[in-house]
Amino acid sequence: MENHHHHHNHNSEALLASSLQGFRSEISKILNKILPISEPETEVEFQFLSLVWIQKCVDVIPLINRAFAKLVVEIDHPMNKWGKSQIEEYLDYSLSLLELLNSVTSGVSHLSHAKLCISHGLSLIGKNSDPLVVLEHLNEIQPYDFGKELKVERKMIPENEESPCTGKDLIVRRSLWILMSVSSWIFGVLLSGICSNDRPYIELRKSAGLFDDSLIRGWDTILASEIAENCGVSKEAKEINEVITGLKEAVANGNVDEFAIDLKRRLEDLEELMQKIGKKTNDLFSEVLAERGKFLDSLKHTRK
Protein backbone atom coordinates (compact mmCIF):
# COMPACT_ATOMS: atom_id res chain seq x y z
CA MET A 1 0.00 0.00 0.00
CA GLU A 2 2.72 2.43 1.07
CA ASN A 3 4.71 1.54 -1.97
CA HIS A 4 1.76 2.32 -4.23
CA HIS A 5 1.22 5.72 -2.61
CA HIS A 6 4.87 6.66 -3.05
CA HIS A 7 4.73 5.71 -6.68
CA HIS A 8 1.64 7.84 -7.27
CA ASN A 9 3.37 10.83 -5.74
CA HIS A 10 6.38 10.51 -7.94
CA ASN A 11 4.16 10.23 -10.95
CA SER A 12 2.22 13.39 -10.17
CA GLU A 13 5.50 15.23 -9.68
CA ALA A 14 6.54 14.19 -13.17
CA LEU A 15 3.16 15.40 -14.46
CA LEU A 16 3.60 18.73 -12.72
CA ALA A 17 7.08 19.13 -14.14
CA SER A 18 5.77 18.45 -17.63
CA SER A 19 2.95 20.97 -17.10
CA LEU A 20 5.50 23.63 -16.20
CA GLN A 21 7.59 22.65 -19.21
CA GLY A 22 4.48 22.92 -21.37
CA PHE A 23 3.78 26.37 -19.95
CA ARG A 24 7.32 27.51 -20.70
CA SER A 25 7.10 26.39 -24.31
CA GLU A 26 3.66 28.02 -24.63
CA ILE A 27 5.20 31.35 -23.50
CA SER A 28 8.04 30.88 -25.98
CA LYS A 29 5.54 30.25 -28.74
CA ILE A 30 3.62 33.42 -27.86
CA LEU A 31 6.81 35.50 -27.92
CA ASN A 32 7.88 34.00 -31.24
CA LYS A 33 4.52 34.64 -32.81
CA ILE A 34 3.94 38.19 -31.58
CA LEU A 35 7.52 39.44 -31.68
CA PRO A 36 9.15 37.87 -34.71
CA ILE A 37 12.91 38.32 -34.77
CA SER A 38 13.47 37.49 -38.41
CA GLU A 39 11.66 35.91 -41.29
CA PRO A 40 14.20 33.88 -43.20
CA GLU A 41 11.89 33.54 -46.23
CA THR A 42 11.61 37.27 -46.77
CA GLU A 43 15.03 38.33 -45.52
CA VAL A 44 13.21 41.26 -43.95
CA GLU A 45 15.36 43.09 -41.46
CA PHE A 46 13.04 43.92 -38.62
CA GLN A 47 13.09 47.43 -37.28
CA PHE A 48 12.96 46.42 -33.64
CA LEU A 49 12.88 49.97 -32.45
CA SER A 50 10.05 50.91 -34.74
CA LEU A 51 6.84 51.70 -32.89
CA VAL A 52 5.14 49.35 -35.36
CA TRP A 53 7.12 46.46 -33.82
CA ILE A 54 7.17 47.89 -30.30
CA GLN A 55 3.41 48.29 -30.03
CA LYS A 56 3.03 44.54 -30.59
CA CYS A 57 4.66 44.05 -27.19
CA VAL A 58 1.35 44.96 -25.53
CA ASP A 59 -0.29 41.94 -27.20
CA VAL A 60 2.00 39.54 -25.38
CA ILE A 61 0.56 40.29 -21.92
CA PRO A 62 -3.06 39.07 -22.29
CA LEU A 63 -1.81 35.93 -24.02
CA ILE A 64 0.69 34.98 -21.32
CA ASN A 65 -1.98 35.67 -18.69
CA ARG A 66 -4.33 33.28 -20.48
CA ALA A 67 -1.60 30.66 -20.68
CA PHE A 68 -1.17 30.98 -16.90
CA ALA A 69 -4.93 30.61 -16.30
CA LYS A 70 -4.88 27.52 -18.49
CA LEU A 71 -1.98 26.04 -16.50
CA VAL A 72 -3.82 26.56 -13.19
CA VAL A 73 -6.79 24.61 -14.59
CA GLU A 74 -4.53 21.93 -16.03
CA ILE A 75 -2.80 21.16 -12.74
CA ASP A 76 -6.18 21.43 -10.99
CA HIS A 77 -4.98 24.00 -8.49
CA PRO A 78 -7.65 26.73 -8.32
CA MET A 79 -6.84 29.96 -6.55
CA ASN A 80 -8.76 29.01 -3.43
CA LYS A 81 -6.22 26.26 -2.81
CA TRP A 82 -3.16 28.47 -3.16
CA GLY A 83 -0.75 29.16 -0.32
CA LYS A 84 -0.54 32.63 1.15
CA SER A 85 2.64 33.56 -0.70
CA GLN A 86 1.24 32.52 -4.11
CA ILE A 87 -1.77 34.75 -3.47
CA GLU A 88 0.53 37.64 -2.58
CA GLU A 89 2.73 37.04 -5.60
CA TYR A 90 -0.26 36.99 -7.93
CA LEU A 91 -1.56 40.25 -6.44
CA ASP A 92 1.91 41.79 -6.76
CA TYR A 93 2.05 40.70 -10.38
CA SER A 94 -1.31 42.20 -11.32
CA LEU A 95 -0.52 45.41 -9.42
CA SER A 96 2.82 45.76 -11.20
CA LEU A 97 1.02 45.35 -14.55
CA LEU A 98 -1.41 48.14 -13.64
CA GLU A 99 1.45 50.43 -12.61
CA LEU A 100 3.42 49.72 -15.77
CA LEU A 101 0.34 50.31 -17.91
CA ASN A 102 -0.08 53.68 -16.19
CA SER A 103 3.52 54.49 -17.11
CA VAL A 104 2.77 53.62 -20.74
CA THR A 105 -0.21 55.98 -20.65
CA SER A 106 1.91 58.86 -19.36
CA GLY A 107 4.63 58.10 -21.93
CA VAL A 108 2.01 58.16 -24.67
CA SER A 109 0.62 61.49 -23.51
CA HIS A 110 4.13 62.97 -23.43
CA LEU A 111 4.65 61.86 -27.03
CA SER A 112 1.22 63.17 -28.06
CA HIS A 113 2.03 66.52 -26.52
CA ALA A 114 5.34 66.69 -28.40
CA LYS A 115 3.46 65.85 -31.60
CA LEU A 116 0.92 68.64 -30.98
CA CYS A 117 3.67 71.20 -30.48
CA ILE A 118 5.35 70.19 -33.74
CA SER A 119 1.99 70.30 -35.58
CA HIS A 120 1.44 73.79 -34.23
CA GLY A 121 4.87 74.85 -35.54
CA LEU A 122 3.96 73.35 -38.92
CA SER A 123 0.67 75.24 -39.08
CA LEU A 124 2.55 78.50 -38.54
CA ILE A 125 4.62 77.85 -41.67
CA GLY A 126 1.48 77.88 -43.78
CA LYS A 127 0.51 81.24 -42.34
CA ASN A 128 3.71 82.92 -43.51
CA SER A 129 4.63 83.62 -39.92
CA ASP A 130 7.88 85.14 -38.82
CA PRO A 131 10.59 82.46 -39.27
CA LEU A 132 11.81 83.05 -35.71
CA VAL A 133 8.38 82.26 -34.30
CA VAL A 134 8.18 79.11 -36.43
CA LEU A 135 11.61 77.97 -35.24
CA GLU A 136 10.58 78.47 -31.65
CA HIS A 137 7.75 75.96 -32.12
CA LEU A 138 9.64 73.34 -34.07
CA ASN A 139 11.19 71.30 -31.31
CA GLU A 140 12.53 67.81 -31.74
CA ILE A 141 10.92 65.02 -29.73
CA GLN A 142 12.79 64.92 -26.42
CA PRO A 143 13.50 61.88 -24.23
CA TYR A 144 10.91 61.50 -21.51
CA ASP A 145 12.05 60.66 -18.00
CA PHE A 146 9.65 59.31 -15.38
CA GLY A 147 11.72 60.89 -12.64
CA LYS A 148 11.62 57.64 -10.71
CA GLU A 149 13.15 54.24 -11.12
CA LEU A 150 10.88 51.70 -12.79
CA LYS A 151 11.10 48.38 -11.11
CA VAL A 152 9.18 45.24 -10.33
CA GLU A 153 10.30 43.93 -6.99
CA ARG A 154 10.61 40.36 -6.00
CA LYS A 155 9.31 39.72 -2.52
CA MET A 156 11.77 37.67 -0.54
CA ILE A 157 9.95 34.70 0.92
CA PRO A 158 11.05 34.21 4.54
CA GLU A 159 12.97 30.97 4.95
CA ASN A 160 11.05 29.95 8.05
CA GLU A 161 7.69 29.88 6.29
CA GLU A 162 5.38 27.26 7.87
CA SER A 163 5.54 25.00 4.86
CA PRO A 164 8.09 25.29 2.11
CA CYS A 165 6.52 25.70 -1.28
CA THR A 166 6.13 22.32 -2.98
CA GLY A 167 4.07 20.54 -5.58
CA LYS A 168 1.36 22.62 -7.18
CA ASP A 169 2.18 25.77 -5.23
CA LEU A 170 5.71 25.58 -6.53
CA ILE A 171 4.43 25.31 -10.11
CA VAL A 172 2.24 28.38 -9.55
CA ARG A 173 5.20 30.31 -8.14
CA ARG A 174 7.57 29.30 -10.92
CA SER A 175 5.06 30.20 -13.61
CA LEU A 176 4.31 33.53 -11.91
CA TRP A 177 8.02 34.24 -11.96
CA ILE A 178 8.04 33.66 -15.70
CA LEU A 179 5.13 36.11 -16.05
CA MET A 180 6.93 38.67 -13.89
CA SER A 181 10.11 38.39 -15.91
CA VAL A 182 8.52 38.44 -19.37
CA SER A 183 6.21 41.34 -18.50
CA SER A 184 8.99 43.44 -16.92
CA TRP A 185 11.08 42.98 -20.03
CA ILE A 186 8.17 43.64 -22.41
CA PHE A 187 7.32 46.90 -20.65
CA GLY A 188 10.97 47.89 -20.62
CA VAL A 189 11.12 47.66 -24.42
CA LEU A 190 7.73 49.33 -24.84
CA LEU A 191 8.44 52.23 -22.48
CA SER A 192 11.90 52.91 -23.89
CA GLY A 193 10.47 53.10 -27.41
CA ILE A 194 7.62 55.39 -26.42
CA CYS A 195 9.80 57.63 -24.24
CA SER A 196 12.87 57.82 -26.53
CA ASN A 197 14.90 56.90 -23.48
CA ASP A 198 16.91 53.76 -22.74
CA ARG A 199 16.43 53.97 -18.97
CA PRO A 200 13.08 52.15 -18.67
CA TYR A 201 14.58 49.23 -20.56
CA ILE A 202 17.75 49.13 -18.48
CA GLU A 203 15.82 49.35 -15.20
CA LEU A 204 13.13 46.82 -16.05
CA ARG A 205 15.66 44.43 -17.57
CA LYS A 206 17.23 44.38 -14.11
CA SER A 207 13.84 43.48 -12.62
CA ALA A 208 13.34 40.72 -15.18
CA GLY A 209 16.65 39.22 -14.07
CA LEU A 210 15.38 38.80 -10.52
CA PHE A 211 12.90 36.21 -11.77
CA ASP A 212 13.25 33.50 -14.38
CA ASP A 213 14.55 35.33 -17.44
CA SER A 214 15.65 32.33 -19.48
CA LEU A 215 12.82 32.78 -21.99
CA ILE A 216 13.68 36.31 -23.05
CA ARG A 217 17.42 35.95 -23.52
CA GLY A 218 17.25 35.43 -27.29
CA TRP A 219 15.33 38.65 -27.87
CA ASP A 220 17.27 40.43 -25.21
CA THR A 221 20.66 39.98 -26.84
CA ILE A 222 19.36 41.59 -30.03
CA LEU A 223 17.35 44.35 -28.40
CA ALA A 224 19.93 45.29 -25.80
CA SER A 225 22.41 46.31 -28.48
CA GLU A 226 19.73 48.04 -30.60
CA ILE A 227 18.51 50.04 -27.62
CA ALA A 228 22.03 50.96 -26.49
CA GLU A 229 22.97 52.04 -30.00
CA ASN A 230 19.90 54.28 -30.37
CA CYS A 231 19.54 55.28 -26.70
CA GLY A 232 16.08 53.76 -26.90
CA VAL A 233 14.88 56.28 -29.50
CA SER A 234 12.31 54.76 -31.84
CA LYS A 235 12.78 54.80 -35.60
CA GLU A 236 9.75 57.10 -35.96
CA ALA A 237 10.97 59.66 -33.41
CA LYS A 238 14.45 59.61 -34.92
CA GLU A 239 13.12 60.22 -38.45
CA ILE A 240 10.74 62.97 -37.31
CA ASN A 241 13.64 64.68 -35.55
CA GLU A 242 15.77 64.44 -38.69
CA VAL A 243 13.02 66.04 -40.80
CA ILE A 244 12.62 68.81 -38.20
CA THR A 245 16.35 69.54 -38.42
CA GLY A 246 16.06 69.79 -42.20
CA LEU A 247 12.94 71.90 -41.92
CA LYS A 248 14.61 74.35 -39.54
CA GLU A 249 17.38 74.93 -42.04
CA ALA A 250 14.82 75.29 -44.84
CA VAL A 251 12.76 77.85 -42.90
CA ALA A 252 15.74 80.21 -43.04
CA ASN A 253 16.06 80.00 -46.82
CA GLY A 254 12.39 79.58 -47.67
CA ASN A 255 12.37 76.08 -49.26
CA VAL A 256 10.08 74.43 -46.75
CA ASP A 257 7.43 72.65 -48.80
CA GLU A 258 9.08 69.29 -49.27
CA PHE A 259 10.05 69.01 -45.60
CA ALA A 260 6.68 70.25 -44.38
CA ILE A 261 4.77 67.66 -46.43
CA ASP A 262 7.07 64.88 -45.23
CA LEU A 263 6.76 65.95 -41.61
CA LYS A 264 2.97 66.23 -41.79
CA ARG A 265 2.73 62.67 -43.14
CA ARG A 266 5.05 61.33 -40.46
CA LEU A 267 3.12 63.07 -37.71
CA GLU A 268 -0.11 61.51 -39.01
CA ASP A 269 1.49 58.05 -38.93
CA LEU A 270 2.76 58.68 -35.43
CA GLU A 271 -0.70 59.80 -34.31
CA GLU A 272 -2.19 56.58 -35.66
CA LEU A 273 0.35 54.47 -33.76
CA MET A 274 -0.23 56.45 -30.56
CA GLN A 275 -3.98 55.88 -30.85
CA LYS A 276 -3.36 52.16 -31.32
CA ILE A 277 -1.02 51.90 -28.33
CA GLY A 278 -3.36 54.03 -26.21
CA LYS A 279 -6.36 51.84 -26.98
CA LYS A 280 -4.50 48.58 -26.41
CA THR A 281 -3.14 49.90 -23.12
CA ASN A 282 -6.56 51.01 -21.86
CA ASP A 283 -8.20 47.72 -22.85
CA LEU A 284 -5.50 45.74 -21.12
CA PHE A 285 -5.72 47.92 -18.01
CA SER A 286 -9.47 47.19 -17.76
CA GLU A 287 -8.88 43.50 -18.34
CA VAL A 288 -6.18 43.22 -15.64
CA LEU A 289 -8.25 45.28 -13.20
CA ALA A 290 -11.31 43.06 -13.76
CA GLU A 291 -9.25 39.87 -13.29
CA ARG A 292 -7.74 41.26 -10.12
CA GLY A 293 -11.20 42.18 -8.84
CA LYS A 294 -12.49 38.68 -9.55
CA PHE A 295 -9.49 37.21 -7.75
CA LEU A 296 -10.03 39.39 -4.67
CA ASP A 297 -13.74 38.54 -4.64
CA SER A 298 -13.05 34.83 -4.75
CA LEU A 299 -10.62 35.26 -1.84
CA LYS A 300 -13.34 36.88 0.25
CA HIS A 301 -15.62 33.93 -0.35
CA THR A 302 -13.06 31.23 0.36
CA ARG A 303 -11.41 32.82 3.38
CA LYS A 304 -14.56 33.12 5.46
Side-chain angles (χ1 to χ4, degrees):
M1 192 60 194
E2 267 194 344
N3 206 350
H4 173 75
H5 177 74
H6 180 79
H7 178 74
H8 168 74
N9 224 357
H10 175 72
N11 210 355
S12 65
E13 251 168 50
L15 277 175
L16 287 176
S18 80
S19 292
L20 183 62
Q21 202 37 55
F23 173 73
R24 290 178 63 90
S25 59
E26 186 57 28
I27 301 297
S28 259
K29 247 188 252 161
I30 291 168
L31 285 169
N32 278 315
K33 184 167 181 265
I34 304 283
L35 303 177
I37 286 186
S38 67
E39 291 184 331
E41 315 86 76
T42 53
E43 294 291 325
V44 167
E45 258 307 295
F46 276 100
Q47 298 273 347
F48 297 111
L49 292 190
S50 156
L51 289 172
V52 177
W53 194 87
I54 287 170
Q55 52 103 16
K56 293 181 185 169
C57 286
V58 191
D59 302 333
V60 169
I61 307 293
L63 293 174
I64 63 177
N65 287 349
R66 266 167 236 156
F68 174 70
K70 208 174 97 189
L71 172 77
V72 170
V73 171
E74 194 180 294
I75 63 172
D76 186 25
H77 196 44
M79 292 165 170
N80 57 8
K81 290 186 187 161
W82 290 6
K84 187 165 166 288
S85 55
Q86 279 63 58
I87 290 169
E88 280 177 7
E89 281 178 345
Y90 177 81
L91 289 170
D92 282 350
Y93 168 62
S94 63
L95 188 61
S96 74
L97 283 184
L98 294 172
E99 284 170 353
L100 289 164
L101 285 163
N102 272 335
S103 301
V104 173
T105 304
S106 67
V108 166
S109 63
H110 160 77
L111 196 46
S112 296
H113 179 71
K115 191 206 131 270
L116 274 178
C117 296
I118 299 166
S119 296
H120 178 58
L122 257 183
S123 70
L124 292 173
I125 291 179
K127 301 191 176 102
N128 295 327
S129 308
D130 176 356
L132 286 175
V133 177
V134 173
L135 289 174
E136 224 169 81
H137 287 279
L138 284 177
N139 290 315
E140 280 95 350
I141 296 169
Q142 299 300 322
Y144 179 60
D145 193 341
F146 289 102
K148 62 171 200 289
E149 193 187 341
L150 295 167
K151 54 176 187 272
V152 177
E153 290 183 74
R154 176 170 155 190
K155 275 222 174 75
M156 289 333 273
I157 310 294
E159 285 302 318
N160 57 3
E161 211 181 341
E162 318 84 271
S163 60
C165 182
T166 54
K168 294 178 175 182
D169 271 347
L170 188 59
I171 301 292
V172 168
R173 165 174 297 168
R174 293 235 167 106
S175 47
L176 273 171
W177 279 5
I178 291 170
L179 293 186
M180 290 278 209
S181 135
V182 171
S183 61
S184 302
W185 181 82
I186 283 281
F187 278 103
V189 175
L190 185 62
L191 286 165
S192 273
I194 292 170
C195 301
S196 300
N197 185 347
D198 55 4
R199 270 192 52 197
Y201 171 77
I202 293 165
E203 291 167 358
L204 286 164
R205 175 66 187 95
K206 235 184 286 174
S207 292
L210 299 175
F211 303 96
D212 172 354
D213 64 357
S214 53
L215 289 173
I216 53 176
R217 282 188 202 137
W219 281 269
D220 195 53
T221 36
I222 295 176
L223 279 151
S225 61
E226 289 268 327
I227 289 173
E229 202 177 302
N230 298 289
C231 298
V233 179
S234 70
K235 170 178 170 276
E236 288 79 0
K238 196 170 162 183
E239 288 171 356
I240 285 173
N241 286 348
E242 282 164 5
V243 179
I244 289 176
T245 308
L247 184 57
K248 280 178 167 173
E249 287 164 9
V251 166
N253 58 35
N255 285 334
V256 293
D257 288 358
E258 199 182 313
F259 288 105
I261 291 165
D262 188 15
L263 186 55
K264 189 170 182 299
R265 184 181 55 79
R266 287 177 190 279
L267 291 175
E268 281 164 6
D269 292 349
L270 180 65
E271 178 59 34
E272 206 175 297
L273 281 166
M274 306 306 301
Q275 300 270 357
K276 226 183 204 172
I277 295 172
K279 184 181 180 331
K280 280 184 183 183
T281 307
N282 290 339
D283 291 351
L284 183 53
F285 189 92
S286 310
E287 194 179 306
V288 173
L289 197 58
E291 281 299 318
R292 188 181 163 85
K294 260 200 291 203
F295 183 75
L296 289 167
D297 274 350
S298 71
L299 284 185
K300 273 184 219 141
H301 297 306
T302 53
R303 302 281 152 181
K304 276 181 182 153

